[in-house]
């Protein structure tokens, strides 16, 4: 059975214009093009479009999706991989929603008690569910660095990635604790933490001093981190 591009657009929610673009770049080419120029799609193309949309929901760009689809050899195994990614993203969002809920409860409780202060016994909990993959998006001005970090992350096992996330979170918490008690930026303790964070970054690609300063400015100026 085959469907024309208008039918596929209605079924998938993808515009006909986007479907034509997917075909032009070889991402989801039609099964055939009729003599009248109309594009026709069969089941295999619909399955491929489903994979594209799933990967788009996971935040991947078209170039990355094309690489993934080109590398896969078994559709069922590929779908299992997509499902694992979706479940991991669901768990991450659930954890993030839990963090926000706890913060709301703490803020509401502080207001009931007539104070603007809240007690955070474990500050790292504030960052639960916030993965470095999302944090690195603010570094759009450093594509080579982001590519190196993402490349290293993709080569790690799940356990190694989790350990890496815990290490980065612990570094952030230690630096935040020094800031909270007023330790100056030039102090040895602060510089030691900055050096530790740089060494973690350098595992993927060493940054020049100017790049590292620019990264710091980018993080400070990013509204989502304030």
């Amino acid at each position: 059975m085959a469907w024309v591009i208008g039918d596929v657009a209605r079924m998938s929610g993808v515009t006909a214009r986007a479907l034509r673009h997917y075909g032009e770049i070889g991402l989801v080419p039609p099964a055939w093009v009729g003599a009248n120029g109309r594009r026709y799609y069969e089941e295999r193309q619909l399955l491929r479009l489903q994979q594209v949309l799933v990967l788009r929901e996971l935040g991947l760009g078209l170039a990355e999706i094309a690489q993934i689809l080109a590398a896969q050899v078994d559709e069922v195994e590929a779908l299992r991989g997509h499902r694992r990614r979706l479940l991991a993203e669901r768990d991450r969002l659930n954890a993030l929603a839990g963090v926000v809920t706890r913060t709301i409860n703490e803020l509401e409780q502080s207001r009931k008690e007539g104070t603007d202060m809240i007690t955070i016994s474990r500050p790292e909990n504030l960052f639960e569910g916030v993965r470095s993959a999302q944090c690195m998006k603010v570094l759009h001005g450093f594509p080579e660095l982001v590519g190196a970090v993402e490349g290293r992350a993709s080569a790690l096992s799940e356990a190694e990635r989790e350990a890496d996330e815990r290490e980065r979170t612990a570094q952030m918490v230690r630096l935040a604790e020094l800031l909270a008690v007023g330790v100056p930026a030039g102090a040895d303790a602060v510089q030691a933490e900055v050096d530790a964070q740089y060494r973690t970054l350098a595992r993927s690609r060493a940054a020049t001093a100017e790049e590292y300063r620019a990264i710091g400015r980018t993080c400070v100026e990013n509204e989502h981190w304030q």
Side-chain angles (χ1 to χ4, degrees):
M1 186 173 180
W3 296 267
V4 296
I5 191 170
D7 293 333
V8 177
R10 284 190 292 274
M11 285 187 292
S12 65
V14 178
T15 66
R17 180 179 179 181
L19 287 171
R20 285 192 290 271
H21 178 62
Y22 289 171
E24 289 166 359
I25 64 176
L27 198 58
V28 187
W32 78 86
V33 180
N36 57 2
R38 299 184 75 180
R39 293 171 167 81
Y40 292 85
Y41 298 79
E42 296 180 342
E43 286 88 348
R44 184 167 295 277
Q45 285 71 47
L46 296 187
L47 286 171
R48 188 173 175 90
L49 177 60
Q50 180 198 51
Q51 292 188 63
V52 170
L53 297 182
V54 166
L55 293 171
R56 289 285 281 171
E57 286 295 320
L58 290 169
L60 276 67
L62 295 183
E64 294 173 287
I65 293 172
Q67 291 177 351
I68 291 173
L69 295 183
Q72 71 182 37
V73 293
D74 183 272
E75 288 180 340
V76 173
E77 192 57 38
L79 287 170
R80 288 196 180 105
H82 301 335
R83 181 176 181 272
R84 285 194 296 270
R85 294 187 184 94
L86 287 169
L87 292 176
E89 181 65 5
R90 179 203 63 187
D91 293 342
R92 187 187 73 82
L93 290 174
N94 284 340
L96 195 55
V99 170
V100 173
T101 298
R102 286 198 301 270
T103 305
I104 289 171
N105 292 337
E106 290 174 350
L107 288 170
E108 288 179 338
Q109 183 61 36
S110 69
R111 289 177 181 177
K112 289 179 182 178
E113 296 172 354
T115 176
D116 292 331
M117 300 295 293
I118 60 174
T119 301
I120 303 175
S121 58
R122 290 180 57 82
E124 62 268 29
N125 289 342
L126 293 175
F127 306 103
E128 183 181 352
V130 182
R131 308 292 289 270
S132 61
Q134 281 69 39
C135 295
M136 289 302 291
K137 288 181 180 179
V138 305
L139 304 182
H140 54 81
F142 311 93
E144 293 183 1
L145 184 59
V146 172
V149 171
E150 291 178 343
R152 178 179 180 275
S154 65
L156 299 176
S157 67
E158 184 62 28
E160 288 172 331
R161 279 194 294 272
E162 290 179 0
D164 196 56
E165 294 291 344
R166 286 195 298 270
E167 180 182 2
R168 290 177 185 274
T169 298
Q171 290 173 346
M172 291 170 63
V173 169
R174 289 196 301 269
L175 200 56
E177 288 173 342
L178 292 170
L179 175 65
V181 297
V183 179
D188 290 344
V190 174
Q191 289 302 306
E193 291 300 333
V194 172
D195 181 65
Q197 292 196 20
Y198 174 80
R199 290 178 183 276
T200 300
L201 177 64
R203 293 175 190 166
S204 303
R205 186 180 79 84
T208 65
E210 180 52 37
E211 280 181 322
Y212 200 50
R213 282 192 291 269
I215 289 170
R217 288 194 297 270
T218 300
C219 295
V220 169
E221 295 167 0
N222 185 271
E223 62 180 7
H224 300 294
W225 286 17
Q226 294 176 3

